[in-house]
Amino acid sequence: MHALSHGTTTAPVTIAVPPSLSLPVIEAAFPRRLHPYWPKCQEKTRAWLLEKRLMPADKVEEYADGLCYTDLMAGYYLGASDEVMQAIADYSAWFFVWDDRHDRDIVHGRPLAWRLLRDRLHSALDSPGEHLHHEDPLVAGFADSVRRLYAFLPQRWGLRFARHFHAVIDAYDQEFHNRTEGIVPTVEEYLRLRRLTFAHWIWTDLLEPAAGCELPDAVRKHPAYRRAALLSQEFAAWYNDLCSLPKEIAGDDVHNLGISLITHEGMTLEQAVVEVRCRVEETITEFLDVEQEALRFADDLADGSVRGKELSAAVRVCLSNMRNWFSSVYWFHHESGRYMVDSWDDRSTPPYVNNEAAGEK
């Protein structure tokens, strides 16, 4: 079907969404919005990628805008200050470049390069100021982006973010092992690992600087709030699996919900696509239910005190942005060149990646 996207241009563009990937409920019930800072954000992130040498200049020129990394974030963290929006967008662009390096290190059999990068990222996460001029641009860029993110909220938030991202790095290491050894995780193993490789709690943590308020544990861990956050992320991760399945099969990947279903549940490719789609649709239905419960929780926080009013407003902003994540992720997958494998010369090799490891030729 064709759907109207209000994405990366000044005028709406008609995007063809394949029937197997079309979700009419998203198009109808989750209207897409973009942060007003988005055009400037795109320009500055492009410049940041060049400044930090995270992508070669020719690839930035040809592919950066079409990959739509800033669009994805600008459709998510609405209400953020321009400074916060820019820091999140740069960090997100770094994350995609890191994901590509991880993939290339696997494809080209570079375990030593990966382990070195893994250890350096763990170090930079805890002391970004000491890694701003690191010889590996990926480490230096990471240090710059997290240092900026740490500045927006109290140290407690930064320590939590770091704890969550240490777990993400370790999960990427597990994925490196699985893919190198050809190990397809079971469905349950994969779902647990996917919550980390997709960085569920990182994107959820970033809702708080976007709202300008650190949420206390009692609020973040409230069942309705936490469930709404998890469902928004599960939708994104599983819809990504649905859309990237052709790319990952072409690249002999083993990390995809569809591949786990085929390998361990005996499904055909067609059955696996239907099952992943059903799981995606269930996250939407359940989110719409729990969203109402979470909004009632936000109302209850407004107890007449100044702090209560502040927390209530912040939770409402966070919930609104969880909702934005559905539409932003959906359109991203149909606009970004990251998933247009049929247009690549080699379906297993993205044209926007740098195949060299740091220091290798």
Side-chain angles (χ1 to χ4, degrees):
M1 67 177 292
H2 285 80
L4 196 63
S5 163
H6 301 275
T8 60
T9 58
T10 53
V13 176
T14 301
I15 301 295
V17 181
S20 63
L21 303 176
S22 170
L23 296 171
V25 65
I26 295 293
E27 296 166 23
F30 293 80
R32 186 183 189 185
R33 301 180 295 155
L34 281 175
H35 196 291
Y37 178 67
W38 169 75
K40 189 69 175 177
C41 183
Q42 183 185 56
E43 177 186 326
K44 287 195 170 184
T45 294
R46 193 189 317 123
W48 186 78
L49 288 168
L50 282 171
E51 176 194 345
K52 299 302 178 184
R53 298 179 294 120
L54 288 167
M55 290 175 68
D58 60 332
K59 293 190 183 296
V60 171
E61 176 67 26
E62 186 171 358
Y63 297 110
D65 288 357
L67 290 169
C68 301
Y69 297 158
T70 55
D71 308 45
L72 178 64
M73 295 296 110
Y76 185 14
Y77 296 103
L78 273 73
S81 70
D82 292 355
E83 186 181 17
V84 169
M85 185 70 256
Q86 189 65 60
I88 292 175
D90 290 350
Y91 167 75
S92 171
W94 173 87
F95 200 116
F96 280 108
V97 175
W98 175 50
D99 186 73
D100 291 335
R101 169 86 73 85
H102 176 259
D103 178 69
R104 294 296 94 185
D105 280 349
I106 293 168
V107 169
H108 294 292
R110 301 189 291 233
L112 295 180
W114 162 250
R115 288 175 197 142
L116 185 61
L117 176 60
R118 174 199 65 194
D119 293 344
R120 287 170 168 175
L121 292 178
H122 275 305
S123 296
L125 186 57
D126 291 331
S127 55
E130 297 175 14
H131 294 77
L132 294 174
H133 305 289
H134 197 279
E135 62 183 355
D136 185 340
L138 204 63
V139 177
F142 178 63
D144 177 73
S145 63
V146 297
R147 180 184 59 86
R148 288 154 62 198
L149 291 172
Y150 287 165
F152 296 121
L153 291 176
Q155 186 183 28
R156 286 186 308 272
W157 182 90
L159 292 172
R160 187 212 315 158
F161 181 95
R163 184 172 71 252
H164 286 161
F165 202 79
H166 279 304
V168 171
I169 297 169
D170 288 341
Y172 264 69
D173 192 48
Q174 181 62 51
E175 180 177 339
F176 189 99
H177 171 75
N178 287 350
R179 289 180 60 187
T180 300
E181 300 297 324
I183 299 169
V184 180
T186 66
V187 172
E188 289 307 313
E189 288 170 343
Y190 175 76
L191 294 178
R192 286 194 298 272
L193 192 61
R194 185 62 163 146
R195 288 173 181 169
L196 295 171
T197 57
F198 198 83
H200 281 22
W201 302 117
I202 289 295
W203 307 119
T204 301
D205 286 337
L206 289 171
L207 291 167
E208 295 168 56
C213 180
E214 179 194 14
L215 298 179
D217 285 355
V219 172
R220 290 188 305 105
K221 295 181 179 179
H222 183 276
Y225 181 89
R226 190 169 178 84
R227 186 64 182 161
L230 178 61
L231 287 165
S232 73
Q233 294 299 322
E234 298 279 52
F235 164 81
W238 300 346
Y239 193 67
N240 175 267
D241 280 4
L242 192 62
C243 294
S244 62
L245 187 56
K247 180 180 87 166
E248 289 171 352
I249 288 176
D252 293 324
D253 203 337
V254 297
H255 266 242
N256 185 291
L257 178 54
I259 293 171
S260 287
L261 288 165
I262 291 167
T263 303
H264 294 287
E265 305 294 330
M267 292 187 183
T268 64
L269 174 60
E270 293 75 14
Q271 289 171 331
V273 167
V274 170
E275 173 63 20
V276 175
R277 182 185 171 93
C278 285
R279 289 176 184 241
V280 166
E281 291 173 336
E282 286 169 4
T283 65
I284 303 169
T285 302
E286 189 176 346
F287 177 84
L288 290 171
D289 287 338
V290 79
E291 179 186 35
Q292 296 306 309
E293 185 181 344
L295 287 169
R296 288 192 292 272
F297 169 58
D299 288 342
D300 292 342
L301 287 170
D303 57 5
S305 68
V306 173
R307 178 61 170 163
K309 182 178 180 181
E310 177 189 39
L311 287 176
S312 177
V315 167
R316 283 188 166 275
V317 170
C318 292
L319 289 170
S320 176
N321 283 337
M322 289 176 200
R323 165 178 272 275
N324 289 336
W325 193 222
F326 286 86
S327 59
S328 194
V329 164
Y330 181 74
W331 291 115
F332 169 70
H333 281 87
H334 303 297
E335 293 174 347
S336 173
R338 195 172 178 86
Y339 304 99
M340 297 178 182
V341 294
D342 291 336
S343 68
W344 301 353
D345 292 337
D346 177 355
R347 287 170 61 89
S348 67
T349 304
Y352 48 83
V353 300
N354 179 6
N355 274 300
E356 295 179 359
E360 293 187 2
K361 298 295 181 185

